[in-house]
Amino acid sequence: MALLNSIFTWFMKKRIHQIELFMKYPHDVQEEWFQSLISTAEATEWGKKYDYTSILTPEIFKERVPIQDYDDIKGYVDRMIKGEQNILWPSDIKWFAKSSGTTSDRSKFIPVSEEALEECHFQGGKDMLTIYCHNRPENRVFTGKSVVIGGSSQINNFSPDSYYGDLSSILIRNLPFWAEFKRTPNMEVTLNPNFEEKIEQIAQITIKENVTSLAGVPTWNIVMAKRVLEITGKNNLLEVWPNLEFYGHGGVSFKPYREQFHKLIPSDKMYYLENYNASEGYFGLQDESDSEDLLLMLDYGIYYEFLPTERMHEENPTTLRLDQVEMGKNYALIISTNAGLWRYKIGDTIKFTSLSPYRFQISGRTKQYINTFGEEVIVDNAEQALAEASKLTNARIKDYTAGPVYFRDAEAGAHEWVIEFEQQPNDFKRFCEILDAKLREINSDYDAKRFKNMALRPPIVHNAPSDTFYKWMKSRGKLGGQNKVPRLSNNREYLDPLLKILQD
C-alpha cells in the first residue's frame, strides 16, 4: 500500500505544473478555451443560429448571444432529453444532472457531456487530491479508502439512451477504475435511492474499512458519522478510523458545520479542502491550507464572464472579462461550457479576493435563498408554499422571513420561519403542515433533505404578533418604501434579532 500511495502521489503532483501555468497566464488560457468552445460548436443548431463561424472575439460573442437562464434553454434541453443531438453541443449527450428547479419547474436538468465529465468534473476531483498531496507531501491518503456519499437520487431513465440523477450519482456511475478502486462502499449501496437504508448500509460497511478520507456534502456526512458512532459506541471518528486525514467538501457553506466536524474528528492534523462543483461545472478549489479562498480553475473547458450585480436588472447588461474584474466587488457568474451551456447565468455570485492568481469567495445567490443543507429553497418556492397554506386555511400574510437552524449534536437541522398574519389561519398547525408539504412537492432537493427527518426536521414556524416586522425594520433604520423585508437568508442574521423582539 505504501508503494501504491507513492505512485498515486507522484502522479497527482505532475498536475501541479499545469495548474501553475494557468495561474501565471490566466488570460491566455481563457482566450484559448473561448476559441476552442466556439469552433467546436459551429455546426450545432445553436452555433448555426448565432453564426458561430463569424464569432472571432469575446466582444462579438457578447453582442450576439444573449445571457441565458434555465427557462431560456429548457426547450433545447427537453429535445436533448428525448434523444435529439447536435443541438447545443456536438458530442452525444446522454446524461442530465438533476438539481432544484426554477420558478416554473420542480427540477431542472443540466446536460453533462463526455467532455464535461472528463475535462471538468473528474479533473476537478483529481485536482482536489493533487492540491492536497502538494500541500501535505507526507500524506498517506491512498493507503486507505474514501467514503463517498452519493446524491439523493439514483440514476433514472428518460429513455433507453438518456439518463438523469444527482450530479454525484452521475459522477459515481462514470468514475475511472482507479477512483472506484479507492472508494467505499460499492456503487450499488452508494446509489441506493432510500437514504435511510443507504446511510445504515454505509455505516455498517465502512466501520470495517481503513478509511483515510471523506468526500461529499457536509449535511449527509454528519448524518452518516453520527450513525457510525451509534453503531460502534465510540466517541469520535478517529476511534473508528484512526488514519482519517482528509475531507473534501462542497455544495453548501462549511461554516455552520465546522464546529461539529471538529467534535467528530478532534485532530488539528485533519485537512479540510473546499471545492465548488455544481451541476453546471467545477469552478473552484481551496488551494491554500491557510486560506478559505477558492482558486478559479481556468482550464476545465469553461469560459467565464462576470456580471456586476448592480447591472443584473438591466435589459442587456454588459459583462466583464476576467482581466476586467476588481477585488471585493460582487459578480454574478456567467459561463460557457463544454456541455453546451452558452452565456449561462448559474445564479451564484462571487467576489475576488486576489487577482494574481484569481482567487474568490462565493458571496451568495442572485436571488434570496436557503441552501444550508443542499436544499436550495428560493423565494419563489417559499411564495408558492405560503400561498397554498394561506388558501387552504383562509389566512392572509403580512410579512415573513425564514432561515436555517443548524445541526446540533444528535438533532437534525430545520428551517425557522417568522410569519406575521393580517388574518390568522383557521388552523395554524395545518398551515405549517401545508407549508412543509408544498415545499416538498415543488422542490425536489428540499424533499430529499426532509426524508425521514434525516437532514431537515419539519419547519419551526413562529406566529408573530402584529407590528413585529415594523418594530424590527425600525430598529434597523430601514423604514420606508425602498426598504423591503428580506424573505430568505442562508444564515441567522435576520432571524435572531426578530426572535429577540418576540421574546421581549
Side-chain angles (χ1 to χ4, degrees):
M1 277 296 181
L3 176 61
L4 186 64
N5 188 69
S6 299
I7 293 170
F8 268 112
T9 302
W10 174 82
F11 180 77
M12 294 296 177
K13 281 182 176 178
K14 288 185 67 178
R15 167 64 178 155
I16 281 291
H17 300 300
Q18 294 170 308
I19 293 174
E20 289 171 345
L21 195 66
F22 78 65
M23 290 168 73
K24 189 174 181 180
Y25 303 105
H27 309 129
D28 293 339
V29 170
Q30 276 287 279
E31 176 66 25
E32 286 175 14
W33 269 113
F34 170 76
Q35 297 295 345
S36 174
L37 291 169
I38 293 294
S39 61
T40 302
E42 283 178 356
T44 63
E45 182 178 314
W46 183 275
K48 290 176 181 176
K49 177 181 178 180
Y50 290 103
D51 192 15
Y52 272 25
T53 53
S54 67
I55 293 179
L56 304 178
T57 67
E59 285 67 37
I60 297 173
F61 180 57
K62 290 195 286 186
E63 287 172 9
R64 191 172 299 172
V65 181
I67 291 172
Q68 311 289 314
D69 60 22
Y70 187 75
D71 288 333
D72 295 320
I73 66 166
K74 184 179 181 300
Y76 294 97
V77 173
D78 288 344
R79 289 169 56 202
M80 293 160 69
I81 284 170
K82 292 172 183 173
E84 289 190 55
Q85 299 292 350
N86 203 36
I87 294 176
L88 297 175
W89 188 250
S91 63
D92 285 358
I93 294 179
K94 299 180 179 180
W95 295 95
F96 297 86
K98 177 185 175 185
S99 65
S100 66
T102 62
T103 55
S104 56
D105 284 294
R106 184 175 190 262
S107 298
K108 56 186 178 184
F109 298 93
I110 304 298
V112 181
S113 66
E114 289 292 331
E115 293 91 336
L117 277 174
E118 292 294 332
E119 298 169 0
C120 187
H121 295 292
F122 287 150
Q123 188 61 56
K126 288 186 280 189
D127 282 352
M128 182 172 67
L129 291 170
T130 296
I131 287 167
Y132 175 60
C133 292
H134 179 71
N135 290 352
R136 185 171 281 181
E138 74 283 5
N139 78 85
R140 292 180 56 79
V141 71
F142 295 112
T143 62
K145 295 203 170 184
S146 177
V147 176
V148 181
I149 302 179
S152 57
S153 67
Q154 62 181 353
I155 300 301
N156 299 279
N157 284 68
F158 279 126
S159 68
D161 292 318
S162 183
Y163 314 92
Y164 73 91
D166 283 356
L167 176 66
S168 57
S169 303
I170 293 172
L171 298 182
I172 288 167
R173 182 60 66 94
N174 290 279
L175 277 174
F177 79 93
W178 62 267
E180 184 64 24
F181 174 69
K182 299 303 297 179
R183 191 181 61 77
T184 187
N186 63 32
M187 190 185 300
E188 183 183 355
V189 171
T190 306
L191 296 181
N192 185 344
N194 184 322
F195 247 85
E196 191 174 40
E197 212 173 80
K198 170 159 55 181
I199 293 295
E200 183 66 26
Q201 291 172 332
I202 289 175
Q204 295 286 355
I205 291 167
T206 59
I207 57 176
K208 301 164 189 169
E209 298 274 11
N210 174 30
V211 173
T212 55
S213 66
L214 305 174
V217 177
T219 318
W220 295 122
N221 274 272
I222 284 182
V223 172
M224 180 271 296
K226 288 177 178 177
R227 183 60 189 139
V228 164
L229 297 184
E230 284 174 5
I231 293 169
T232 60
K234 303 295 186 182
N235 295 312
N236 62 68
L237 291 182
L238 293 177
E239 293 179 5
V240 183
W241 302 316
N243 298 317
L244 184 62
E245 61 176 75
F246 174 66
Y247 176 35
H249 60 88
V252 297
S253 170
F254 193 58
K255 290 176 184 175
Y257 300 96
R258 193 179 305 280
E259 188 178 335
Q260 287 217 20
F261 271 92
H262 286 165
K263 287 180 182 177
L264 290 167
I265 311 167
S267 169
D268 293 335
K269 295 181 180 178
M270 185 68 186
Y271 196 107
Y272 298 90
L273 193 155
E274 182 173 358
N275 65 75
Y276 179 14
N277 190 18
S279 300
E280 297 86 355
Y282 205 124
F283 308 124
L285 279 167
Q286 184 181 346
D287 68 314
E288 295 181 306
S289 56
D290 59 349
S291 170
E292 294 182 3
D293 297 343
L294 301 174
L295 177 69
L296 187 65
M297 307 307 285
L298 298 174
D299 64 349
Y300 285 3
I302 299 171
Y303 177 72
Y304 292 99
E305 299 173 57
F306 306 90
L307 176 58
T309 52
E310 64 270 19
R311 296 184 194 166
M312 274 175 25
H313 301 295
E314 296 175 8
E315 189 171 340
N316 294 300
T318 302
T319 60
L320 304 179
R321 298 186 310 269
L322 185 61
D323 62 336
Q324 296 174 313
V325 299
E326 299 176 45
M327 281 173 53
K329 291 195 171 182
N330 280 311
Y331 299 104
L333 208 52
I334 311 295
I335 59 171
S336 297
T337 78
N338 53 6
L341 298 177
W342 300 105
R343 304 202 74 209
Y344 186 83
K345 181 170 61 178
I346 66 171
D348 290 337
T349 61
I350 68 169
K351 61 180 178 182
F352 285 96
T353 55
S354 165
L355 301 182
S356 183
Y358 286 97
R359 293 195 180 95
F360 67 96
Q361 294 175 350
I362 303 168
S363 54
R365 298 280 289 174
T366 55
K367 297 178 180 178
Q368 293 177 44
Y369 71 110
I370 309 175
N371 190 36
T372 306
F373 309 97
E375 68 276 44
E376 297 190 60
V377 170
I378 60 175
V379 170
D380 185 73
N381 298 155
E383 298 283 359
Q384 284 189 57
L386 289 167
E388 181 78 358
S390 297
K391 177 183 173 184
L392 296 179
T393 61
N394 199 29
R396 283 203 308 274
I397 293 173
K398 184 177 181 183
D399 267 315
Y400 75 91
T401 195
V405 177
Y406 304 129
F407 280 168
R408 274 196 304 269
D409 299 324
E411 201 169 44
H415 287 179
E416 190 164 11
W417 298 72
V418 177
I419 302 176
E420 185 177 326
F421 293 95
E422 278 186 5
Q423 181 170 302
Q424 287 290 330
N426 53 33
D427 186 333
F428 182 67
K429 183 182 177 185
R430 184 164 176 255
F431 176 95
C432 300
E433 290 169 349
I434 296 168
L435 170 65
D436 182 42
K438 188 65 176 178
L439 280 173
R440 296 188 69 165
E441 179 191 325
I442 61 179
N443 184 316
S444 57
D445 287 324
Y446 178 83
D447 185 44
K449 303 307 179 292
R450 282 284 292 111
F451 178 75
K452 297 282 184 79
N453 298 332
M454 291 177 70
L456 279 176
R457 292 174 280 141
I460 301 162
V461 185
H462 301 276
N463 191 336
S466 181
D467 290 336
T468 296
F469 281 89
Y470 176 86
K471 292 174 185 174
W472 177 57
M473 294 292 278
K474 184 178 180 180
S475 72
R476 300 169 66 224
K478 296 287 186 181
L479 290 179
Q482 75 277 18
N483 296 303
K484 296 179 180 178
V485 172
R487 296 310 189 193
L488 301 179
S489 175
N490 204 38
N491 55 46
R492 297 184 61 83
E493 65 176 310
Y494 306 130
L495 271 179
D496 287 337
L498 266 167
L499 293 174
K500 190 173 185 305
I501 289 174
L502 293 182
Q503 291 163 3
D504 289 343

